[in-house]
Amino acid sequence: MENASTVTNFFMVGFSNDSQLRHLLFSVFILIYITTLLGNFTIMFLITVDAQLHTPMYFFLANLSFLDIACVSTTVLKMLDNLLAERKPISFHACIIQMSLFQMFIIAECFLLAAMSYDRYLAICHPLNYTLLMSQKVQLHLLSGCWIVGGLNSVIETVLISSVNFCGPNLIDHFFCDSPALLKLSCSNTSVHKLVIFVVGFFVGLLPFLIVFVSYIPIVSAIFNIHSTQGRQKTFATCASHLVVVTLFYGTGMFTYIIQPTVPHLMDDSKIVTVVYTILTPMLNPFIYSLRNNQVKSALWRVMGKNTLSA
């Protein structure tokens, strides 16, 4: 990862220079971070210890919780540190590592959400063959594919960013190291780099979103064929909440990596948009996908009941 850069450290501009506002933001984001950890660790714990949750859907949900924790920890911890003091430096290599880890986790999550939608499509539209179609081998292959695509995306972006020169300024107009913000600081010709990142972003962002969209068309159709009005409304409400979170996640992500690079003045809105898919959706996912689910609630009561009896 050699770079002819004359810049050895970067400084994050973050959200504000006002000390009072920074402390307020610190309080808000640390609360969000703690909520994210508690929600996602709870899901992972319940799915691990409760045998009734050892199904494909909860297998994917446990991995989604892991990715949410990894993704938010990669970005938020350094941001919280910067909010407590005036612009703390981050070394060039530490910045590249943060960017590469984030790119791997966020793209793996993009494809995991697509795999989860495919799983729901099979469960609702092909219930008789579901066990055969979504075997443990298929689950592992889908999960491996998510990590492989995430890893490849991370390698591509790391190589691209590491091959450009940074001559100053060294102020990153963001709250974490991300490829579009870093390319803005380069004194090299980055037109090819931006084109590659755009093409890769288009593929890894649009393809899983299309898989989700196509999977939900027959799911919605199957919901309307449910005879029970109450069952139809409940299932539709669950699917609608899933789609809202997924749309927020993919929409804001594609805005950052596909739309924004082609419209430079939109960079001013990038930090606010990025907060949605890097910080808010990891907090919302446990509540939208799991904690509103009766099976998860039952598992929580069973675990709590066992602990009470043991005590």
Side-chain angles (χ1 to χ4, degrees):
M1 196 183 295
E2 291 298 320
N3 189 289
S5 170
T6 58
V7 172
T8 57
N9 292 298
F10 291 106
F11 293 87
M12 306 286 183
V13 172
F15 293 100
S16 174
N17 291 323
D18 183 88
S19 60
Q20 289 186 333
L21 181 57
R22 285 209 318 271
H23 285 96
L24 175 62
L25 289 172
F26 176 85
S27 301
V28 170
F29 284 122
I30 197 169
L31 181 61
I32 292 174
Y33 181 61
I34 292 171
T35 303
T36 302
L37 292 183
L38 288 175
N40 285 290
F41 272 125
T42 299
I43 297 305
M44 292 173 64
F45 173 73
L46 289 176
I47 292 173
T48 301
V49 301
D50 194 286
Q52 293 188 33
L53 299 183
H54 293 176
T55 63
M57 180 178 77
Y58 293 107
F59 169 77
F60 290 125
L61 282 173
N63 283 278
L64 177 65
S65 290
F66 173 79
L67 281 172
D68 279 337
I69 291 170
C71 188
V72 77
S73 296
T74 301
T75 57
V76 170
L77 289 177
K78 181 60 180 175
M79 180 189 70
L80 291 173
D81 185 41
N82 288 333
L83 285 171
L84 285 177
E86 292 285 348
R87 293 177 182 171
K88 290 186 178 179
I90 180 172
S91 70
F92 173 80
H93 289 95
C95 191
I96 294 297
I97 290 171
Q98 184 187 47
M99 183 204 73
S100 62
L101 288 175
F102 173 76
Q103 288 297 326
M104 178 172 63
F105 295 142
I106 202 71
I107 297 305
E109 182 162 339
C110 279
F111 279 84
L112 181 61
L113 288 170
M116 289 168 61
S117 297
Y118 175 64
D119 170 69
R120 289 300 82 205
Y121 159 72
L122 293 179
I124 294 173
C125 301
H126 301 279
L128 298 179
N129 297 321
Y130 176 65
T131 305
L132 179 65
L133 294 172
M134 190 51 70
S135 63
Q136 190 173 34
K137 185 177 180 180
V138 172
Q139 295 171 46
L140 292 174
H141 283 168
L142 288 172
L143 182 63
S144 300
C146 296
W147 280 101
I148 289 170
V149 176
L152 286 174
N153 175 75
S154 176
V155 169
I156 291 171
E157 299 226 9
T158 301
V159 170
L160 287 172
I161 298 298
S162 299
S163 65
V164 300
N165 295 323
F166 296 94
C167 313
N170 60 349
L171 290 177
I172 301 175
D173 189 15
H174 216 322
F175 60 89
F176 75 102
C177 294
D178 200 12
S179 48
L182 285 170
L183 284 178
K184 281 183 65 181
L185 302 180
S186 174
C187 51
S188 304
N189 183 354
T190 59
S191 55
V192 175
H193 300 75
K194 289 177 180 177
L195 178 62
V196 173
I197 289 176
F198 174 84
V199 172
V200 172
F202 188 82
F203 169 75
V204 299
L206 190 61
L207 178 61
F209 178 73
L210 288 175
I211 293 173
V212 172
F213 182 75
V214 170
S215 297
Y216 265 93
I217 292 175
I219 289 174
V220 172
S221 177
I223 289 171
F224 282 113
N225 290 326
I226 297 175
H227 297 295
S228 168
T229 304
Q230 185 178 1
R232 184 167 57 248
Q233 290 176 344
K234 185 178 179 181
T235 308
F236 186 79
T238 301
C239 289
S241 60
H242 291 182
L243 282 174
V244 167
V245 174
V246 165
T247 302
L248 278 173
F249 180 80
Y250 285 118
T252 52
M254 286 190 287
F255 173 87
T256 301
Y257 297 102
I258 298 175
I259 299 174
Q260 184 181 271
T262 60
V263 188
H265 73 269
L266 291 178
M267 284 296 291
D268 297 336
D269 304 318
S270 62
K271 283 179 277 192
I272 298 172
V273 172
T274 305
V275 165
V276 175
Y277 70 91
T278 60
I279 299 175
L280 291 183
T281 53
M283 179 187 69
L284 293 174
N285 281 340
F287 300 97
I288 296 297
Y289 284 100
S290 303
L291 295 176
R292 296 169 65 232
N293 188 301
N294 287 330
Q295 285 182 288
V296 174
K297 289 178 183 177
S298 299
L300 181 59
W301 285 116
R302 283 194 295 270
V303 171
M304 290 175 64
K306 287 179 181 178
N307 291 336
T308 302
L309 288 172
S310 299

mmCIF file of all heavy atoms in Angstrom, residues 60 63 65 70 75 84 106 115 120 124 138 178 196 202 224 241 248 253 274 284 299 307-308:
data_model
loop_
_atom_site.group_PDB
_atom_site.id
_atom_site.type_symbol
_atom_site.label_atom_id
_atom_site.label_comp_id
_atom_site.label_asym_id
_atom_site.label_seq_id
_atom_site.Cartn_x
_atom_site.Cartn_y
_atom_site.Cartn_z
ATOM 1 N N PHE A 60 -29.680 -15.535 8.631
ATOM 2 C CA PHE A 60 -29.329 -14.302 7.926
ATOM 3 C C PHE A 60 -29.459 -13.082 8.839
ATOM 4 O O PHE A 60 -28.648 -12.147 8.765
ATOM 5 C CB PHE A 60 -30.217 -14.135 6.686
ATOM 6 C CG PHE A 60 -29.925 -15.117 5.594
ATOM 7 C CD1 PHE A 60 -30.931 -15.920 5.072
ATOM 8 C CD2 PHE A 60 -28.653 -15.257 5.077
ATOM 9 C CE1 PHE A 60 -30.672 -16.831 4.066
ATOM 10 C CE2 PHE A 60 -28.368 -16.168 4.070
ATOM 11 C CZ PHE A 60 -29.383 -16.965 3.563
ATOM 12 N N ASN A 63 -26.430 -12.682 11.030
ATOM 13 C CA ASN A 63 -25.308 -12.125 10.274
ATOM 14 C C ASN A 63 -25.520 -10.654 9.942
ATOM 15 O O ASN A 63 -24.562 -9.881 9.885
ATOM 16 C CB ASN A 63 -25.094 -12.935 8.989
ATOM 17 C CG ASN A 63 -24.388 -14.252 9.247
ATOM 18 O OD1 ASN A 63 -23.175 -14.289 9.357
ATOM 19 N ND2 ASN A 63 -25.161 -15.329 9.354
ATOM 20 N N SER A 65 -27.061 -8.567 11.934
ATOM 21 C CA SER A 65 -26.728 -7.890 13.193
ATOM 22 C C SER A 65 -25.220 -7.752 13.360
ATOM 23 O O SER A 65 -24.731 -6.709 13.799
ATOM 24 C CB SER A 65 -27.322 -8.663 14.373
ATOM 25 O OG SER A 65 -28.723 -8.551 14.394
ATOM 26 N N ALA A 70 -20.392 -4.227 13.125
ATOM 27 C CA ALA A 70 -19.079 -3.978 12.536
ATOM 28 C C ALA A 70 -19.051 -2.659 11.771
ATOM 29 O O ALA A 70 -18.105 -1.866 11.893
ATOM 30 C CB ALA A 70 -18.703 -5.135 11.604
ATOM 31 N N THR A 75 -17.166 3.338 11.830
ATOM 32 C CA THR A 75 -17.310 4.771 11.550
ATOM 33 C C THR A 75 -17.541 5.619 12.802
ATOM 34 O O THR A 75 -16.962 6.688 12.952
ATOM 35 C CB THR A 75 -18.479 5.003 10.581
ATOM 36 O OG1 THR A 75 -19.672 4.441 11.138
ATOM 37 C CG2 THR A 75 -18.207 4.349 9.235
ATOM 38 N N LEU A 84 -15.325 14.963 20.738
ATOM 39 C CA LEU A 84 -14.928 15.358 22.092
ATOM 40 C C LEU A 84 -13.808 16.382 22.108
ATOM 41 O O LEU A 84 -13.578 17.043 23.118
ATOM 42 C CB LEU A 84 -14.478 14.128 22.892
ATOM 43 C CG LEU A 84 -15.599 13.206 23.377
ATOM 44 C CD1 LEU A 84 -14.999 12.004 24.085
ATOM 45 C CD2 LEU A 84 -16.558 13.953 24.302
ATOM 46 N N ILE A 106 -20.128 -2.680 4.373
ATOM 47 C CA ILE A 106 -21.345 -2.073 3.835
ATOM 48 C C ILE A 106 -21.816 -2.792 2.576
ATOM 49 O O ILE A 106 -23.021 -2.973 2.359
ATOM 50 C CB ILE A 106 -21.136 -0.555 3.562
ATOM 51 C CG1 ILE A 106 -22.487 0.170 3.533
ATOM 52 C CG2 ILE A 106 -20.374 -0.307 2.287
ATOM 53 C CD1 ILE A 106 -23.149 0.298 4.856
ATOM 54 N N ALA A 115 -30.033 -11.315 -0.209
ATOM 55 C CA ALA A 115 -30.177 -12.737 0.105
ATOM 56 C C ALA A 115 -31.366 -12.978 1.030
ATOM 57 O O ALA A 115 -32.099 -13.965 0.884
ATOM 58 C CB ALA A 115 -28.891 -13.263 0.742
ATOM 59 N N ARG A 120 -37.052 -14.815 1.848
ATOM 60 C CA ARG A 120 -38.472 -14.576 2.125
ATOM 61 C C ARG A 120 -39.333 -14.927 0.910
ATOM 62 O O ARG A 120 -40.453 -15.411 1.061
ATOM 63 C CB ARG A 120 -38.692 -13.116 2.516
ATOM 64 C CG ARG A 120 -38.157 -12.697 3.866
ATOM 65 C CD ARG A 120 -38.786 -13.502 5.003
ATOM 66 N NE ARG A 120 -38.119 -14.800 5.184
ATOM 67 C CZ ARG A 120 -38.693 -15.855 5.720
ATOM 68 N NH1 ARG A 120 -39.957 -15.825 6.093
ATOM 69 N NH2 ARG A 120 -38.031 -16.986 5.856
ATOM 70 N N ILE A 124 -42.356 -17.689 1.252
ATOM 71 C CA ILE A 124 -43.758 -17.298 1.048
ATOM 72 C C ILE A 124 -44.332 -17.862 -0.255
ATOM 73 O O ILE A 124 -45.483 -18.307 -0.282
ATOM 74 C CB ILE A 124 -43.876 -15.754 1.061
ATOM 75 C CG1 ILE A 124 -43.542 -15.222 2.466
ATOM 76 C CG2 ILE A 124 -45.276 -15.298 0.650
ATOM 77 C CD1 ILE A 124 -43.466 -13.710 2.567
ATOM 78 N N VAL A 138 -26.901 -23.979 0.794
ATOM 79 C CA VAL A 138 -27.276 -22.783 0.032
ATOM 80 C C VAL A 138 -27.094 -21.533 0.902
ATOM 81 O O VAL A 138 -26.587 -20.505 0.424
ATOM 82 C CB VAL A 138 -28.732 -22.883 -0.459
ATOM 83 C CG1 VAL A 138 -29.187 -21.572 -1.084
ATOM 84 C CG2 VAL A 138 -28.881 -24.022 -1.455
ATOM 85 N N ASP A 178 -13.844 8.033 3.652
ATOM 86 C CA ASP A 178 -14.595 7.367 2.596
ATOM 87 C C ASP A 178 -14.019 7.793 1.257
ATOM 88 O O ASP A 178 -13.473 8.899 1.122
ATOM 89 C CB ASP A 178 -16.077 7.721 2.690
ATOM 90 C CG ASP A 178 -16.953 6.712 1.969
ATOM 91 O OD1 ASP A 178 -16.446 5.644 1.600
ATOM 92 O OD2 ASP A 178 -18.159 6.983 1.800
ATOM 93 N N VAL A 196 -14.168 4.324 -12.206
ATOM 94 C CA VAL A 196 -14.163 2.944 -11.702
ATOM 95 C C VAL A 196 -15.049 2.820 -10.464
ATOM 96 O O VAL A 196 -15.847 1.883 -10.342
ATOM 97 C CB VAL A 196 -12.727 2.484 -11.395
ATOM 98 C CG1 VAL A 196 -12.746 1.119 -10.702
ATOM 99 C CG2 VAL A 196 -11.898 2.408 -12.663
ATOM 100 N N PHE A 202 -22.240 1.347 -8.966
ATOM 101 C CA PHE A 202 -23.476 1.077 -9.704
ATOM 102 C C PHE A 202 -23.817 -0.407 -9.638
ATOM 103 O O PHE A 202 -24.975 -0.786 -9.408
ATOM 104 C CB PHE A 202 -23.316 1.516 -11.162
ATOM 105 C CG PHE A 202 -24.579 1.468 -11.964
ATOM 106 C CD1 PHE A 202 -25.492 2.511 -11.905
ATOM 107 C CD2 PHE A 202 -24.860 0.379 -12.767
ATOM 108 C CE1 PHE A 202 -26.666 2.467 -12.633
ATOM 109 C CE2 PHE A 202 -26.027 0.329 -13.506
ATOM 110 C CZ PHE A 202 -26.937 1.379 -13.436
ATOM 111 N N PHE A 224 -51.657 -10.524 -0.974
ATOM 112 C CA PHE A 224 -53.030 -10.169 -1.337
ATOM 113 C C PHE A 224 -53.927 -11.392 -1.510
ATOM 114 O O PHE A 224 -55.151 -11.277 -1.519
ATOM 115 C CB PHE A 224 -53.039 -9.326 -2.616
ATOM 116 C CG PHE A 224 -52.660 -7.896 -2.388
ATOM 117 C CD1 PHE A 224 -51.481 -7.384 -2.912
ATOM 118 C CD2 PHE A 224 -53.469 -7.052 -1.641
ATOM 119 C CE1 PHE A 224 -51.121 -6.056 -2.700
ATOM 120 C CE2 PHE A 224 -53.125 -5.735 -1.420
ATOM 121 C CZ PHE A 224 -51.944 -5.233 -1.945
ATOM 122 N N SER A 241 -42.571 -2.285 6.304
ATOM 123 C CA SER A 241 -41.504 -1.742 7.155
ATOM 124 C C SER A 241 -40.142 -2.205 6.673
ATOM 125 O O SER A 241 -39.165 -1.445 6.690
ATOM 126 C CB SER A 241 -41.731 -2.153 8.612
ATOM 127 O OG SER A 241 -41.727 -3.557 8.751
ATOM 128 N N LEU A 248 -34.374 3.107 2.270
ATOM 129 C CA LEU A 248 -33.514 4.129 2.889
ATOM 130 C C LEU A 248 -32.044 3.743 2.759
ATOM 131 O O LEU A 248 -31.195 4.566 2.414
ATOM 132 C CB LEU A 248 -33.878 4.302 4.366
ATOM 133 C CG LEU A 248 -35.075 5.194 4.700
ATOM 134 C CD1 LEU A 248 -35.383 5.118 6.190
ATOM 135 C CD2 LEU A 248 -34.810 6.633 4.280
ATOM 136 N N GLY A 253 -27.318 5.102 0.014
ATOM 137 C CA GLY A 253 -26.027 4.578 -0.440
ATOM 138 C C GLY A 253 -25.768 4.887 -1.900
ATOM 139 O O GLY A 253 -24.675 5.334 -2.279
ATOM 140 N N THR A 274 -25.203 10.251 4.490
ATOM 141 C CA THR A 274 -24.407 9.107 4.914
ATOM 142 C C THR A 274 -24.803 8.619 6.297
ATOM 143 O O THR A 274 -24.732 7.419 6.590
ATOM 144 C CB THR A 274 -22.902 9.471 4.904
ATOM 145 O OG1 THR A 274 -22.548 9.961 3.607
ATOM 146 C CG2 THR A 274 -22.045 8.262 5.212
ATOM 147 N N LEU A 284 -31.983 0.739 13.455
ATOM 148 C CA LEU A 284 -33.371 0.373 13.182
ATOM 149 C C LEU A 284 -33.553 -1.102 12.834
ATOM 150 O O LEU A 284 -34.598 -1.689 13.133
ATOM 151 C CB LEU A 284 -33.917 1.221 12.036
ATOM 152 C CG LEU A 284 -34.081 2.726 12.304
ATOM 153 C CD1 LEU A 284 -34.495 3.444 11.023
ATOM 154 C CD2 LEU A 284 -35.101 2.973 13.401
ATOM 155 N N ALA A 299 -38.725 -16.124 22.201
ATOM 156 C CA ALA A 299 -37.382 -16.589 22.545
ATOM 157 C C ALA A 299 -36.803 -15.759 23.688
ATOM 158 O O ALA A 299 -36.147 -16.298 24.594
ATOM 159 C CB ALA A 299 -36.473 -16.509 21.329
ATOM 160 N N ASN A 307 -33.248 -17.973 32.887
ATOM 161 C CA ASN A 307 -32.317 -17.271 33.772
ATOM 162 C C ASN A 307 -32.933 -17.021 35.146
ATOM 163 O O ASN A 307 -32.275 -17.118 36.173
ATOM 164 C CB ASN A 307 -31.876 -15.937 33.139
ATOM 165 C CG ASN A 307 -30.989 -16.155 31.931
ATOM 166 O OD1 ASN A 307 -30.346 -17.190 31.811
ATOM 167 N ND2 ASN A 307 -30.941 -15.173 31.042
ATOM 168 N N THR A 308 -34.253 -16.705 35.155
ATOM 169 C CA THR A 308 -34.948 -16.460 36.427
ATOM 170 C C THR A 308 -34.990 -17.740 37.259
ATOM 171 O O THR A 308 -34.742 -17.737 38.467
ATOM 172 C CB THR A 308 -36.368 -15.951 36.164
ATOM 173 O OG1 THR A 308 -36.291 -14.745 35.383
ATOM 174 C CG2 THR A 308 -37.069 -15.640 37.479
#
